[in-house]
Amino acid sequence: MTGPLCDIRVLETGTLLAGPFCGQLLGDHGAEVIKLEDPGRGDPMRQWGRERPYGTSLWWPVVARNKKSVTCNLRHPEGQRLARELAATADVLVENFRPGTLERWGLDYATLSALNPRLVLVRVTGYGQTGPYAPRAGFGSIGEAMGGIRHITGEPDRAPSRTGVSLGDALAGTMAAYGTVMALHARQRTGRGQIVDSALYEAVLAYMESLIPEWEIGGYRRERTGAVLPNVAPSNVYPTADGADVLIAANQDTVFARLTEVMGEPALAADPRYATHSARGTHQAELDEVIAKWTARQESGALLAALHAAGVPAGRTYTAADMLQDPHFAAREAIVRVAHPDFGEIPMQNVVPRLSATPGAVRWAGPELGAHNEEIWGGVLGLDAERRAALAADGVI
């Protein structure tokens, strides 16, 4: 096994997305991620996804990649005992149940750290482990709304919108993985693990830039603005002669000057209405109209080539088909193809970020339920075949 976390064992006990996304990120960089799943149906993500060819989820192979699946009924006393034994061998335990659930199961931090003082317990929830809302059920959509991103997403004349992915869950999982690595680094000095508390709404809040002081100090409340960044111009989507929309981001003074050269109107860069960042922001609508009239006469391919040659940030809005055909994606292997029992192979996004000396990798797609029972229960805990069979008969594994 390779990757910077190749000496780290992670137990993943959560379901759906936020906790498992944390596990995915850690597994991408080499951690041995052992996913404990309910023996009856496994993680519901096995059934989730917009498209399910052959009755198989296309989401599961991605979020469960690089993980080992073992079945373990955490609601059964014997399953809880097995989890404690496995935690004694681990570096990290990731969970995303409601606060108090691990405590009811005898898997609380006090119990686990007594067995394994070096264990890092990563807890991903809607509202965190403390505070008046901690007991509430929390999904990513609620965290996005409470954290602020929903209110500012969408068109100004419509209700708040959502992004097309589970952004809140992904942000909470990313913060959880970030916290995990920091806790492991601190353990090198202290010899002890700790609790990582990642709340969905706080993960979203962390990305809200200056939204809070803008309101309290400036008296300004951010609102939905669609594709436009208020007071940042030009930075918008513009039409072209062949019907394609092109994004142009030329809001810096020097970049705007380069754009005006491409437009054949260098005098615009000296025009008092557009000469500074502040002035362009004040006259944003009329400047966008000037640029849109120009781009509407250009073919998108030639337009983009000219903008790129001049050093003006610009591009198309990609779909999956665009990504699969793009030479830059191919050159950097941003999309990899992984062997899969039903599809032969399945394309998916590669590991990020890229490390030069100890790179991560997608080693396998999400496994079948219980595919690693013998390796973990037999090999790691040393349970013989007779014991494993008895546990399976009792619905424990």
Side-chain angles (χ1 to χ4, degrees):
M1 191 176 292
T2 60
L5 301 178
C6 65
D7 57 342
I8 298 298
R9 172 174 289 167
V10 178
L11 303 187
E12 181 188 297
T13 62
T15 61
L16 296 177
L17 195 53
F21 188 68
C22 171
Q24 177 194 324
L25 296 177
L26 299 174
D28 280 353
H29 289 281
E32 179 190 27
V33 181
I34 302 172
K35 183 171 181 63
L36 277 60
E37 299 188 72
D38 182 85
R41 64 185 185 122
D43 191 319
M45 290 301 297
R46 290 181 175 275
Q47 285 76 47
W48 278 33
R50 189 178 298 273
E51 298 294 330
R52 299 181 68 243
Y54 308 106
T56 302
S57 168
L58 291 172
W59 201 343
W60 174 256
V62 179
V63 74
R65 68 192 193 187
N66 296 330
K67 299 179 184 180
K68 298 177 178 179
S69 171
V70 300
T71 49
C72 182
N73 185 352
L74 293 175
R75 292 169 176 81
H76 192 289
E78 280 298 293
Q80 296 160 7
R81 183 181 65 80
L82 290 175
R84 285 191 290 271
E85 290 184 23
L86 204 53
T89 75
D91 299 282
V92 178
L93 189 150
V94 178
E95 64 99 5
N96 63 335
F97 305 109
R98 282 202 213 182
T101 302
L102 288 192
E103 285 74 11
R104 291 197 306 273
W105 291 344
L107 298 172
D108 55 280
Y109 184 66
T111 298
L112 296 179
S113 63
L115 297 170
N116 180 1
R118 293 175 58 80
L119 183 71
V120 173
L121 177 59
V122 182
R123 315 195 73 171
V124 187
T125 57
Y127 304 96
Q129 297 297 312
T130 59
Y133 300 165
R136 294 181 180 178
F139 263 26
S141 57
I142 309 304
E144 292 167 18
M146 187 175 176
I149 199 165
R150 288 283 182 123
H151 182 77
I152 61 173
T153 301
E155 297 297 329
D157 59 344
R158 303 175 194 174
S161 186
R162 67 180 295 272
T163 58
V165 295
S166 301
L167 183 62
D169 290 300
L171 291 178
T174 301
M175 288 297 187
Y178 172 50
T180 299
V181 174
M182 288 193 291
L184 290 172
H185 179 73
R187 191 182 69 174
Q188 294 179 344
R189 298 192 309 275
T190 66
R192 295 191 64 87
Q194 59 184 291
I195 297 172
V196 176
D197 183 356
S198 179
L200 277 160
Y201 85 96
E202 289 173 346
V204 174
L205 179 63
Y207 285 79
M208 287 299 96
E209 300 174 348
S210 55
L211 180 144
I212 299 296
E214 283 173 5
W215 168 249
E216 179 162 309
I217 298 174
Y220 172 75
R221 189 175 84 172
R222 289 201 190 188
E223 299 290 349
R224 294 178 291 288
T225 58
V228 176
L229 282 170
N231 302 317
V232 177
S235 182
N236 207 338
V237 180
Y238 302 94
T240 62
D242 54 338
D245 288 329
V246 168
L247 282 79
I248 300 176
N251 45 288
Q252 187 180 357
D253 290 353
T254 54
V255 180
F256 178 65
R258 293 199 291 268
L259 172 61
T260 63
E261 292 286 347
V262 177
M263 294 173 65
E265 298 189 53
L268 288 175
D271 188 315
R273 295 172 297 171
Y274 313 131
T276 66
H277 177 82
S278 178
R280 288 192 299 276
T282 301
H283 299 91
Q284 183 170 35
E286 61 187 81
L287 178 57
D288 275 343
E289 186 176 347
V290 170
I291 296 171
K293 286 181 179 179
W294 170 69
T295 61
R297 301 191 299 268
Q298 317 298 318
E299 189 274 333
S300 60
L303 171 63
L304 285 168
L307 292 170
H308 293 156
V312 178
R316 292 188 175 92
T317 301
Y318 275 23
T319 65
D322 297 320
M323 297 174 190
L324 288 165
Q325 297 169 5
D326 188 275
H328 191 79
F329 277 68
R332 287 180 56 83
E333 298 183 336
I335 296 172
V336 293
R337 296 183 178 274
V338 185
H340 191 277
D342 294 319
F343 309 124
E345 65 176 17
I346 182 171
M348 64 181 71
Q349 55 270 41
N350 208 343
V351 175
V352 293
R354 298 165 183 266
L355 277 66
S356 62
T358 56
V362 181
R363 301 182 298 281
W364 62 82
E368 295 296 315
L369 181 62
H372 300 88
N373 276 4
E374 183 174 349
E375 175 186 343
I376 303 304
W377 298 135
V380 176
L381 291 193
L383 305 181
D384 59 31
E386 183 178 357
R387 177 62 176 149
R388 296 199 303 272
L391 289 169
D394 291 338
V396 177
I397 64 172

